[in-house]
Amino acid sequence: YQPIDPRFAAKYGFTNTHSTCRMCKWAFATRYGLAWNHSIQEIDEPFIAHKTCRNKVGLVGHPFKEYWLSADGVHDAGKTAKAVHVTSNDATKTCKLTSENRVVEIDHGALRRKIYDHDGVSDLIIESEREGGYLLRLETPVAANELFKLNENVRWFQDSRSRMTFLTSGNVTLSITGQGTLQIPITSSTRVRVITENVDHFHRGTKKIPSYFGDLMTRDFFSPIEAYRIHT
């Protein structure tokens, strides 16, 4: 009896799992934007965890950091945007979102922001109560200074490991304020979706095209499934 060569075991060890099970795992990873290790045929954890967490103030702290600023006077020479007041009914730092702690009020009720998360997606629903110019700043852990633009409503940051895609419900001019950081002007009610996923290094030409998961979540954002009740 001779022990199996470690190189052979490392290369073919995945065959101990039935091909149907491996296919099922791969389909699950593809559908939910998880990393897939092609060598060992197993799901890998994404570099940026698929969860949305809030800080004690109520703003998102993971997978990006959320800041709200006033846009008044920012176009004047020498003036910079100032932070505005944010209030929340909950002062708990948590990654478990509820109907109560997902809501914050910006600038004493001028804006009302709700945050929802699922499967590596963070949705910000912003309701405007009165006129005024505000800036939503999102600071991400992605080490990128260039914002790739697929179209007017779909853009992403990408480095060697991760991609974060930003979807906006209206045509707005996004600006980069630092590495992995962008600003979105908010002048009315709008929706913003942030998609977090690993970079696909296995397939060629994926730098400038959405992944299957990214495309699925993009279509869900712009053309969501609708339900109708038919009275007979």
Side-chain angles (χ1 to χ4, degrees):
Y1 173 78
Q2 294 292 329
I4 297 177
D5 186 285
R7 293 172 297 178
F8 181 89
K11 185 174 183 179
Y12 297 106
F14 67 85
T15 58
N16 288 317
T17 302
H18 195 278
S19 58
T20 302
C21 294
R22 299 200 306 272
M23 181 66 74
C24 185
K25 291 180 180 180
W26 171 83
F28 182 87
T30 301
R31 181 173 181 177
Y32 293 103
L34 300 174
W36 179 251
N37 189 314
H38 291 270
S39 298
I40 62 175
Q41 303 283 288
E42 288 288 347
I43 296 174
D44 275 346
E45 288 295 319
F47 292 112
I48 301 175
H50 282 188
K51 60 183 179 180
T52 303
C53 305
R54 48 161 280 159
N55 57 28
K56 292 182 179 180
V57 179
L59 298 176
V60 176
H62 181 90
F64 52 84
K65 293 182 179 179
E66 173 191 14
Y67 302 92
W68 284 94
L69 311 168
S70 172
D72 294 341
V74 295
H75 298 296
D76 298 338
K79 289 190 176 181
T80 58
K82 295 182 179 180
V84 295
H85 189 261
V86 177
T87 56
S88 171
N89 291 331
D90 192 331
T92 305
K93 182 179 179 180
T94 179
C95 296
K96 185 177 181 181
L97 300 179
T98 66
S99 59
E100 185 171 335
N101 70 16
R102 73 175 73 253
V103 181
V104 294
E105 290 191 348
I106 313 298
D107 199 12
H108 306 284
L111 297 177
R112 183 179 173 89
R113 190 276 284 146
K114 299 178 182 178
I115 181 75
Y116 296 88
D117 72 314
H118 62 92
D119 305 324
V121 172
S122 303
D123 283 328
L124 294 91
I125 312 300
I126 302 159
E127 301 170 353
S128 177
E129 299 296 332
R130 61 176 183 264
E131 292 185 2
Y134 297 91
L135 299 171
L136 169 60
R137 179 177 294 173
L138 303 180
E139 182 181 301
T140 78
V142 181
N145 293 306
E146 180 183 0
L147 191 63
F148 180 80
K149 179 180 177 182
L150 185 65
N151 57 49
E152 292 298 328
N153 304 101
V154 182
R155 302 169 175 88
W156 61 67
F157 278 132
Q158 178 171 312
D159 58 18
S160 61
R161 304 198 309 175
S162 303
R163 172 187 291 183
M164 295 191 76
T165 304
F166 307 92
L167 315 178
T168 55
S169 59
N171 292 334
V172 296
T173 302
L174 277 64
S175 58
I176 300 175
T177 60
Q179 180 174 276
T181 304
L182 60 80
Q183 255 178 200
I184 306 172
I186 305 295
T187 57
S188 61
S189 297
T190 189
R191 295 182 300 130
V192 177
R193 170 169 286 188
V194 182
I195 304 171
T196 305
E197 57 185 324
N198 281 9
V199 172
D200 181 2
H201 290 294
F202 186 77
H203 301 96
R204 293 183 178 180
T206 56
K207 185 177 181 179
K208 296 183 178 180
I209 61 172
S211 65
Y212 172 84
F213 173 69
D215 179 65
L216 184 66
M217 293 298 103
T218 298
R219 287 187 284 115
D220 171 72
F221 181 77
F222 293 111
S223 302
I225 297 175
E226 297 179 307
Y228 298 89
R229 178 179 294 177
I230 301 175
H231 296 279
T232 57

